[in-house]
Amino acid sequence: MKMRKIVPVFLLICGIGLLLITALSGFSTADPTPIDPSPVDPNQPISPEAPPAPPGNDISDLTGPTGLILTAAGCILIVVNFARSVSSTAPESRAMQIQMYVEEHPGSSESDIVKYLGYSRSSTAHHLKRLIRETRVAEKPYRNTVRYYPPVIQTAEEDTLNAIISKEKPAIILEALGKDALTMSELLEKTGLSVSSLRWHLRRMEEDGVIVSEKSGKLVRYSVLR
């Protein structure tokens, strides 16, 4: 359980406990003055009454107000947490928009989310951390970046594939390959990418185990690893 959920409950329990202590101490200190049953002699001089003892430090003077404060603080924090949780799941909230984007584009990076949704990087990072804490989004490293996924169990191969196809150029290459084995020239014609960009992505995708290259005479053909 998260600290922001534990603290309000702890304050509420402590406050209620102190209020109970105050109530019980009030019952225990209630001591009615006993009535003297002996008759009063009118001829006997009345002796002056002893002055009442000065009031001591009653524990209820401390526990009562403290209990009220802790109880009120706990209730307020619980209401605030509930309001925050409701607002973060509203369809128009930023947190929900980010969650929906990650669900539709698994393997996206923080930069992808910022670019698509138009939120600031700091706001996006804040909401991503919150979504991860609430297990609504999962994060996994990929090379030098962190990618975000829906909180479902996936294999490492699926994570890698999603991380790759979340980028435009690798997705174009995979779409061009389809079920065929193509040469560099054929891929250049189908994708419209530059030679350097295509070579760079093919090398990365081969290192990640997504595609495989096979030499056929003087030609090298690339295909999706099945």
Side-chain angles (χ1 to χ4, degrees):
M1 187 180 290
K2 306 171 185 65
M3 284 300 297
R4 66 184 183 87
K5 292 184 178 180
I6 294 176
V7 171
V9 175
F10 176 76
L11 292 177
L12 189 61
I13 292 174
C14 290
I16 293 174
L18 290 176
L19 290 176
L20 288 175
I21 291 173
T22 303
L24 293 174
S25 65
F27 283 119
S28 62
T29 55
D31 185 15
T33 304
I35 299 175
D36 188 1
S38 60
V40 179
D41 187 356
N43 297 321
Q44 184 178 359
I46 300 174
S47 58
E49 293 182 358
N57 292 329
D58 192 348
I59 189 173
S60 62
D61 294 340
L62 177 63
T63 57
T66 305
L68 288 173
I69 293 172
L70 292 179
T71 303
C75 291
I76 291 171
L77 289 176
I78 289 174
V79 171
V80 169
N81 287 339
F82 176 76
R84 289 180 61 187
S85 65
V86 171
S87 64
S88 69
T89 56
E92 67 277 5
S93 70
R94 290 194 175 188
M96 197 63 189
Q97 291 294 319
I98 293 173
Q99 180 182 345
M100 292 170 63
Y101 179 82
V102 171
E103 290 173 353
E104 295 171 0
H105 305 85
S108 299
S109 64
E110 183 179 303
S111 300
D112 297 330
I113 300 171
V114 170
K115 181 179 179 181
Y116 183 85
L117 296 178
Y119 301 149
S120 67
R121 186 169 293 275
S122 60
S123 176
T124 302
H126 167 75
H127 288 294
L128 280 171
K129 289 180 181 178
R130 182 174 179 180
L131 290 168
I132 291 168
R133 286 198 308 267
E134 296 174 355
T135 64
R136 292 161 57 185
V137 166
E139 64 174 346
K140 294 182 183 179
Y142 172 70
R143 292 188 178 267
N144 296 325
T145 61
V146 176
R147 301 300 177 92
Y148 300 94
Y149 303 85
V152 295
I153 299 175
Q154 296 186 131
T155 64
E157 291 78 11
E158 289 174 326
D159 289 340
T160 302
L161 181 59
N162 285 329
I164 290 172
I165 63 178
S166 67
K167 297 296 184 181
E168 181 181 2
K169 291 180 180 179
I172 292 174
I173 295 171
L174 286 176
E175 184 180 1
L177 285 172
K179 297 181 179 180
D180 302 323
L182 304 178
T183 63
M184 176 71 71
S185 300
E186 291 170 333
L187 281 171
L188 285 170
E189 182 180 351
K190 279 196 168 188
T191 61
L193 301 175
S194 65
V195 175
S196 58
S197 177
L198 181 59
R199 287 186 186 278
W200 188 84
H201 285 293
L202 286 173
R203 184 177 67 253
R204 299 252 311 201
M205 293 167 71
E206 191 171 2
E207 290 173 356
D208 291 331
V210 176
I211 65 172
V212 62
S213 62
E214 294 181 1
K215 194 168 184 180
S216 176
K218 294 183 179 181
L219 298 176
V220 177
R221 293 186 178 276
Y222 298 90
S223 58
V224 178
L225 186 61
R226 307 298 177 187

